[in-house]
Amino acid sequence: MKPLLNRVLTLTVIILSCCDVLSAREKFNFNEGWLLKLGDATGSELVGADDSRWASVSLPRAWNEDEAFRLACHDLSDSVVWYRKHFNLNNISRRKFFIEFEGVKWAADVYLNGHKLGISENGVMAFGFDLSPYVKSGDNVIAVRVDNSWNYRERATNQRYQWNDKNFNANYGGIPKNVFLYSSDLLYQTLPLYSNLNTIGTYIYGSDYDIAGHKVKVNVESQVCNDDNVPRSFRFFANVLDREGNQVGNFEGERYILQPGETRIVKVSGNISNAHFWSWGYGYLYTVNSLLKSDDGSKIDDVVTRTGFRKTRFAEGKIWLNDRVISMHGYAQRTSNEWPGVGMSVPAWLSDYSNKLQVESGGNLVRWMHVTPWKQDVESCDRVGLIESMPAGDAEHDVTGRKWEQRSMLMRDAIIYNRNNPSILFYEGGNESISREHMIELKAIRDEYDSYGGRAMGSREMLDIDEAEYGGEMLYVNKSRKHPMWMMEYYRDEGLRKYWDEYSYPYHKEGDGPLYRNAAAPDYNHNMDMFAVGQVKSWYDYYLERPGTGSRVNAGGAKIVFSDTNTHWRGEANFRTSGVTDAMRIPKDAFYAMQVMWDGWVTPENNHTYIVGHWNYNAGTVKPVYVISNGTSVDLLLNGKKIATGINSYRYLFTFDHLAYEPGKLEAVSYDSNRHELSRYSVETVGKPHHLKLTTIKNPLGFKADGADMALIQVEVVDSVGRRCPLDNRMIHWNQYGEGEWIGGIATSTKDGNYIHQINIPVECGVERVLVRSTVNAGNIYLCVGATGLPMVSDTLKTLPVDNMNGLSKYIPSLMLSGHLDRGETPLTPSYKDLKKEIDIVSANAGSNSDSVKKSFDDNELSEWSSDGKRENAWITYNFTNKVAIDEITIKLTGWRSKCYPLAVYEGNKKVWQGSTYATLGYVHINIPRPQKSSNITIKMLGPAIDSSQYGEIKELAGGKTNELDFASSKKDDVKLRIVEVDFLQSIK
């Protein structure tokens, strides 16, 4: 706690009068003191415009925030709105002033003192302007006209932006992100805001990594501009501070002379020892000060950058972080990352809370979907140790012409803006495959602006484009021995948190819900027990192909969304319920399922067991119990007595069928293969509702009276000993007054607007959460909470004053919030053990189409070998250099999701396996119990393929098929053996 306090005090004591901006460089929080008017008010850009009746707001603030989760995504309102702000500056002589918007939704025309500064139109990216020509000593007025039309078109070309999409890009209009004001000397380091300013800022990266020795070379490059009317000389320095504020590096660079109007890149580097490397769950950040000093040693300019250092590698189908292989397991989260009643505009600490939950669930990756994430979320992922995949902007397919130019320009801007954030490991060129030429173009942009950042450029799919540095389909299992393949948005099912199972109130039948596209939609209307079980079943396919299982491996996957989201849906609610938490970040059972499977770099490294659901049922109930554990076996105890050993499937799932309910304690105990206990978990029968329990989650820096900070308050209905009552759904009555603004929470009821912004809201399964926002006046917020049959409870929240003078503040949370180090530094031990050795195929011959046999082992899952449809020709023989005993075959067969192939396998002339393959998300595993040494293996098809409906109709949002080879058809009686890829494996003893 002491280092955090020291940092807060340090930032406090350096505050100057915001009217007298005289130091080398100042960065101001520019969020407070804005005025908002709905509608296009003519003349609002003028200094003298009457804004006396405009609403007072603090940013970030979307003008339609109260529609978040109340309305469906495609119904979110669009309009033209105006924002204005009055601020005062003195002593502006020989100073530069810049404004930075972290992003505006959608297009913004920006004016200062009646003069137009410019426009930003992409609706996503940060942008800025030079205020210096029009800023004046004394009063200033900045005005922003925002148009968040769903159909907005680029003015110069009349071209729409591909990512302005009603399905996935929630339209929280206005200025929903932070704004900053900068003041500097006329000789200054530029901002990383390419569009409008045409500048690239500072670039910091590590090289010459010695992970085991804790050493790294720190390289600092900065673009410096001389806007003075005389030549300026300076030296370039860099100071590196650790998280406690201790200087661990001080590097002196060359002396430079810049002519008037000249811009150039300056560089300095040096080594630091005892280095702490940024890692998964280890958000260790350094502060790097890049300084310009005059010849007499006085400071001219000082840029403060929080960054981290980590080493990466992408090859052999795998990903290395700090010399350790890591499988991706995380979430494809909507970039809006929104909350009910407020949208995306939450304080930075709440972003940390949400993103840290992803890490606590076992997630190591967030794949932001479709558009570049907000800088606040990027910095948050730095702090919590969560790897990011950063897109630019797209929808569901590649494009050409101006649409592609818009995408590539946005990628350029996003790379420049975010290249110092260590959590970004992947740049995503598209949410669908892009052409080879487009991939080469994006790599060239990356190489120009981020040559040394250790980030891979790729795209979804990219199965046959070697220039891509990573890829992977939406949900099907891909393997590679070249660039890593991780799945981009798997397990697309949905389920509401309020439905435990069929045996609990309100007794929702599994899968029951509205039709989707005129058909039953059980996959989108799960109860929480089957939703959790589904997570285990779907992850199993990726687990089987993990590193250590051969030369061609899968690099993991991102489950589609972490938290329920105000975007396209298919289930009962008018928002997507695919999250492992609900929209208020209350965990579902699936959250804990992920913890069990994901608590390790490749496979679990810590022992966990979890019982799905609760233990409060009606007398006489007989039901299945599901336990998720990474042990080898699991016993179930009821009131201390063993009642059964679970049936294991999908590696982590243990099922106990037909269990008769009896009140008391239900406990699961997991064991290793030698019956040594590993972990245990229990649930108990909870007593009758007795009282309400309040828990407040708030800013670790203190609840700030800035008009934008929030507190998250949880209410639970509990029994007499404080245990949550899992079946309670009663109405909770809130009363809030004082220096706070009620936002509220969410409970699913479309006819009631999901209770958004309502003061009375029911708990679901005994728990609910609400948000309260501060005003700009420090003071108390009083909460009184009641429910029928339970005593009232109350709480008082105190908000703290924030320095603010004339709309300028030095309270910048991104520089003050601490990194989280919970998982510790990257272990120096290997993350996996090689279990299988792949046997190389030297040649193949077949009963037909022998000229294309190599397509079945070319490491390209978009090609296939197929026999001619005749039974006698439905075979293929693979040849090896030496005689080997193959004990496992992994094979991807065309139509893998919907076809079952009757096959026989021969090692030499001896049949070693016969059976039918099964429907899968990718690869079938054929285990040969008694392998024979042979220099060849023959696979024969014995009859027509049989259709399977195990995986239902998995489709893209637009309704297209997910992969052509998966859905390839054949004539009814054809015996057509079709192989996409095959691997022959030998166990390593």
Side-chain angles (χ1 to χ4, degrees):
M1 192 64 192
K2 188 174 181 181
L4 172 61
L5 181 60
N6 288 342
R7 285 196 296 277
V8 175
L9 290 174
T10 299
L11 284 168
T12 302
V13 299
I14 65 171
I15 295 171
L16 304 175
S17 167
C18 295
C19 296
D20 298 303
V21 186
L22 293 173
S23 62
R25 172 182 291 243
E26 294 290 346
K27 178 178 180 179
F28 296 102
N29 181 324
F30 207 54
N31 285 336
E32 194 174 324
W34 287 80
L35 301 169
L36 170 65
K37 180 177 177 57
L38 302 184
D40 195 359
T42 302
S44 294
E45 76 278 11
L46 301 176
V47 172
D50 182 8
D51 53 21
S52 60
R53 297 186 179 181
W54 291 26
S56 296
V57 297
S58 289
L59 302 182
R61 183 80 61 103
W63 69 266
N64 59 347
E65 63 173 12
D66 63 337
E67 296 178 352
F69 287 91
R70 178 168 62 85
L71 300 182
C73 182
H74 58 260
D75 290 328
L76 293 173
S77 299
D78 57 356
S79 182
V80 172
V81 298
W82 280 88
Y83 292 77
R84 283 168 60 91
K85 180 181 172 87
H86 299 258
F87 63 103
N88 187 282
L89 293 173
N90 292 328
N91 300 311
I92 67 171
S93 177
R94 295 186 57 75
R95 303 292 293 176
K96 293 288 294 185
F97 292 89
F98 298 92
I99 191 168
E100 174 190 345
F101 293 86
E102 287 187 335
V104 168
K105 189 65 176 271
W106 187 268
D109 295 276
V110 184
Y111 302 83
L112 177 64
N113 297 327
H115 301 277
K116 186 167 184 176
L117 300 174
I119 185 172
S120 175
E121 295 185 274
N122 62 42
V124 175
M125 194 53 217
F127 61 95
F129 297 104
D130 184 353
L131 306 183
S132 308
Y134 307 115
V135 74
K136 60 185 181 179
S137 182
D139 293 331
N140 293 268
V141 179
I142 191 162
V144 185
R145 179 187 184 272
V146 182
D147 180 354
N148 73 312
S149 169
W150 282 112
N151 297 309
Y152 184 83
R153 292 179 179 272
E154 187 178 39
R155 293 178 192 172
T157 65
N158 200 38
Q159 177 63 63
R160 289 194 63 199
Y161 288 86
Q162 188 186 11
W163 51 93
N164 193 0
D165 189 286
K166 290 187 174 184
N167 288 309
F168 58 77
N169 196 354
N171 195 348
Y172 303 125
I175 310 179
K177 302 178 185 179
N178 298 305
V179 184
F180 299 101
L181 181 74
Y182 296 85
S183 170
S184 73
D185 188 270
L186 296 177
L187 177 72
Y188 61 94
Q189 298 170 79
T190 66
L191 296 174
L193 300 171
Y194 193 87
S195 291
N196 295 311
L197 288 176
N198 198 33
T199 56
I200 62 175
T202 303
Y203 181 37
I204 302 168
Y205 57 92
S207 62
D208 300 338
Y209 284 95
D210 179 356
I211 299 298
H214 295 276
K215 298 176 183 177
V216 64
K217 182 178 181 180
V218 175
N219 305 272
V220 183
E221 303 178 4
S222 193
Q223 186 185 52
V224 179
C225 181
N226 179 16
D227 275 351
D228 208 339
N229 56 11
V230 296
R232 297 286 296 272
S233 64
F234 65 94
R235 283 189 178 274
F236 186 49
F237 294 81
N239 292 330
V240 183
L241 308 179
D242 66 15
R243 64 182 263 120
E244 283 76 37
N246 302 310
Q247 182 173 288
V248 295
N250 183 19
F251 317 135
E252 180 176 347
E254 299 178 24
R255 182 175 183 269
Y256 299 89
I257 298 177
L258 263 64
Q259 299 301 314
E262 183 182 359
T263 299
R264 68 174 299 178
I265 304 294
V266 298
K267 303 179 181 181
V268 70
S269 62
N271 297 311
I272 61 173
S273 56
N274 300 314
H276 299 273
F277 297 112
W278 186 95
S279 188
W280 170 37
Y282 189 75
Y284 197 99
L285 300 176
Y286 289 89
T287 299
V288 179
N289 298 318
S290 52
L291 301 102
L292 311 183
K293 291 186 178 182
S294 63
D295 293 338
D296 63 8
S298 60
K299 188 189 299 183
I300 301 172
D301 192 41
D302 180 5
V303 171
V304 178
T305 305
R306 288 184 90 182
T307 189
F309 305 102
R310 77 288 181 274
K311 181 182 178 184
T312 60
R313 183 183 175 216
F314 309 90
E316 301 172 21
K318 299 188 284 289
I319 299 158
W320 281 262
L321 176 60
N322 300 330
D323 292 339
R324 198 174 201 240
V325 170
I326 186 167
S327 285
M328 297 295 95
H329 39 76
Y331 304 95
Q333 179 76 336
R334 300 298 185 190
T335 300
S336 45
N337 207 14
E338 66 269 35
W339 292 70
V342 70
M344 68 187 301
S345 303
V346 297
W349 75 265
L350 196 52
S351 295
D352 285 7
Y353 175 80
S354 177
N355 293 326
K356 187 172 184 290
L357 278 175
Q358 297 190 51
V359 177
E360 291 176 359
S361 77
N364 58 30
L365 166 75
V366 57
R367 176 196 175 235
W368 300 112
M369 296 183 68
H370 295 285
V371 296
T372 305
W374 180 13
K375 187 70 168 183
Q376 178 169 294
D377 267 318
V378 172
E379 293 171 334
S380 172
C381 290
D382 288 346
R383 291 190 292 270
V384 304
L386 182 60
I387 296 168
E388 297 181 81
S389 176
M390 186 200 81
D394 65 2
E396 296 284 347
H397 54 84
D398 201 4
V399 289
T400 57
R402 183 57 185 170
K403 279 190 174 183
W404 174 254
E405 290 174 354
Q406 291 172 338
R407 282 173 59 168
S408 62
M409 291 166 62
L410 180 54
M411 178 62 80
R412 174 202 63 203
D413 290 2
I415 287 175
I416 292 169
Y417 192 58
N418 295 303
R419 60 186 178 171
N420 292 324
N421 295 97
S423 53
I424 298 176
L425 264 62
F426 304 97
Y427 292 140
E428 182 181 301
N431 187 56
E432 257 279 9
S433 60
I434 60 176
S435 69
R436 176 177 179 271
E437 292 73 21
H438 283 168
M439 178 51 60
I440 291 171
E441 180 182 341
L442 294 183
K443 285 179 66 177
I445 293 172
R446 188 273 314 273
D447 292 344
E448 180 175 359
Y449 297 108
D450 187 19
S451 303
Y452 308 108
R455 298 178 177 95
M457 178 65 76
S459 172
R460 208 177 93 188
E461 301 189 4
M462 311 308 286
L463 306 185
D464 61 343
I465 297 179
D466 290 343
E467 286 78 9
E469 294 165 333
Y470 75 94
E473 292 184 271
M474 181 173 71
L475 50 85
Y476 292 150
V477 181
N478 306 125
K479 299 202 295 184
S480 172
R481 63 169 54 90
K482 297 174 294 189
H483 55 259
M485 297 285 187
W486 50 271
M487 297 15 276
M488 301 288 179
E489 45 191 272
Y490 81 90
Y491 198 66
R492 306 172 66 79
D493 295 24
E494 299 184 45
L496 289 166
R497 183 178 64 81
K498 68 180 181 179
Y499 296 141
W500 281 111
D501 53 38
E502 292 187 351
Y503 309 89
S504 305
Y505 179 83
Y507 307 106
H508 174 258
K509 182 175 176 58
E510 165 62 22
D512 190 26
L515 300 180
Y516 177 67
R517 291 180 176 164
N518 299 315
D523 292 343
Y524 306 121
N525 292 283
H526 283 304
N527 290 328
M528 289 298 91
D529 59 345
M530 300 315 297
F531 189 66
V533 167
Q535 309 296 335
V536 181
K537 291 181 177 180
S538 60
W539 180 250
Y540 182 65
D541 278 302
Y542 310 111
Y543 164 83
L544 288 175
E545 317 305 340
R546 66 195 183 278
T549 60
S551 300
R552 295 182 65 249
V553 294
N554 174 266
K559 180 227 168 309
I560 195 167
V561 306
F562 170 70
S563 56
D564 290 350
T565 172
N566 190 192
T567 51
H568 176 79
W569 78 98
R570 297 168 170 88
E572 174 183 326
N574 64 345
F575 55 90
R576 187 168 196 131
T577 58
S578 294
V580 300
T581 75
D582 72 4
M584 299 301 291
R585 277 52 170 187
I586 300 174
K588 305 176 184 178
D589 278 322
F591 177 95
Y592 303 103
M594 300 314 203
Q595 279 187 335
V596 171
M597 300 186 295
W598 285 358
D599 193 5
W601 284 55
V602 174
T603 54
E605 297 169 4
N606 298 294
N607 298 312
H608 295 280
T609 295
Y610 181 74
I611 299 174
V612 175
H614 62 90
W615 198 237
N616 276 63
Y617 292 95
N618 296 327
T621 298
V622 178
K623 68 178 296 289
V625 170
Y626 302 103
V627 176
I628 301 168
S629 177
N630 49 38
T632 301
S633 62
V634 174
D635 289 347
L636 200 61
L637 286 68
L638 182 55
N639 294 323
K641 181 181 178 181
K642 177 182 173 181
I643 54 175
T645 297
I647 299 172
N648 181 224
S649 58
Y650 302 99
R651 175 56 187 91
Y652 301 111
L653 181 63
F654 296 85
T655 303
F656 300 82
D657 280 322
H658 310 298
L659 190 64
Y661 170 69
E662 176 186 316
K665 180 180 180 180
L666 186 69
E667 188 167 28
V669 184
S670 75
Y671 303 89
D672 64 16
S673 57
N674 295 316
R675 292 293 291 177
H676 296 139
E677 182 178 325
L678 298 177
S679 61
R680 59 175 61 208
Y681 182 88
S682 64
V683 293
E684 295 179 327
T685 303
V686 176
K688 294 181 179 180
H690 182 268
H691 62 274
L692 299 174
K693 177 183 177 182
L694 291 183
T695 305
T696 300
I697 305 165
K698 57 187 178 181
N699 189 342
L701 302 174
F703 193 1
K704 302 297 185 181
D706 60 359
D709 203 0
M710 299 177 188
L712 178 64
I713 302 103
Q714 176 172 285
V715 61
E716 299 171 88
V717 178
V718 298
D719 68 5
S720 60
V721 294
R723 298 174 298 188
R724 184 186 300 173
C725 298
L727 302 181
D728 204 290
N729 289 324
R730 75 186 66 207
M731 186 68 72
I732 304 295
H733 309 287
W734 294 81
N735 188 14
Q736 175 254 311
Y737 61 98
E739 293 299 340
E741 177 188 355
W742 179 259
I743 295 172
I746 185 172
T748 312
S749 175
T750 304
K751 67 181 180 65
D752 295 307
N754 297 320
Y755 294 93
I756 299 301
H757 278 253
Q758 295 189 27
I759 204 75
N760 299 320
I761 181 171
V763 293
E764 294 181 336
C765 303
V767 61
E768 190 50 86
R769 289 176 176 173
V770 300
L771 286 167
V772 174
R773 181 159 50 202
S774 68
T775 68
V776 295
N777 302 310
N780 292 333
I781 301 173
Y782 302 97
L783 295 171
C784 295
V785 188
T788 301
L790 300 176
M792 183 174 291
V793 295
S794 62
D795 196 10
T796 301
L797 309 179
K798 184 177 181 61
T799 63
L800 305 176
V802 175
D803 69 277
N804 188 292
M805 185 174 292
N806 298 314
L808 305 180
S809 171
K810 292 294 290 183
Y811 173 60
I812 302 177
S814 63
L815 296 177
M816 303 170 73
L817 289 166
S818 295
H820 297 266
L821 311 179
D822 302 40
R823 293 196 66 90
E825 298 193 61
T826 304
L828 297 179
T829 56
S831 59
Y832 70 94
K833 179 181 178 182
D834 283 313
L835 304 174
K836 299 285 183 178
K837 175 185 177 182
E838 184 175 339
I839 305 303
D840 292 335
I841 302 167
V842 295
S843 65
N845 51 287
S848 57
N849 298 327
S850 291
D851 56 336
S852 61
V853 291
K854 193 170 182 180
K855 290 183 178 180
S856 67
F857 58 99
D858 60 355
D859 200 22
N860 176 6
E861 294 181 10
L862 291 183
S863 67
E864 65 163 344
W865 167 83
S866 174
S867 66
D868 62 6
K870 298 178 181 178
R871 184 188 298 264
E872 62 271 23
N873 295 334
W875 61 268
I876 185 169
T877 298
Y878 296 95
N879 304 306
F880 315 116
T881 302
N882 302 305
K883 288 186 175 183
V884 289
I886 303 294
D887 55 21
E888 184 175 6
I889 303 171
T890 64
I891 185 169
K892 192 167 198 175
L893 296 156
T894 303
W896 55 85
R897 184 192 60 80
S898 58
K899 300 287 186 183
C900 300
Y901 286 68
L903 300 179
V905 176
Y906 295 81
E907 291 187 332
N909 295 319
K910 184 175 178 60
K911 183 164 65 175
V912 293
W913 185 89
Q914 181 174 326
S916 181
T917 65
Y918 48 88
T920 174
L921 290 179
Y923 285 81
V924 169
H925 285 244
I926 297 174
N927 294 297
I928 300 172
R930 291 181 293 276
Q932 306 292 311
K933 281 194 172 184
S934 176
S935 58
N936 61 72
I937 281 186
T938 298
I939 300 174
K940 291 184 178 181
M941 188 169 177
L942 306 178
I946 301 168
D947 289 332
S948 169
S949 59
Q950 178 177 345
Y951 286 100
E953 280 294 312
I954 300 173
K955 297 181 179 180
E956 295 278 13
L957 178 59
K961 304 300 187 181
T962 51
N963 186 295
E964 291 182 6
L965 290 179
D966 180 31
F967 285 88
S969 60
S970 57
K971 294 180 180 178
K972 181 179 179 181
D973 296 324
D974 274 2
V975 181
K976 185 176 285 190
L977 180 57
R978 305 178 66 175
I979 300 176
V980 178
E981 287 292 321
V982 64
D983 302 309
F984 297 99
L985 305 174
Q986 188 178 54
S987 295
I988 298 174
K989 305 299 184 183

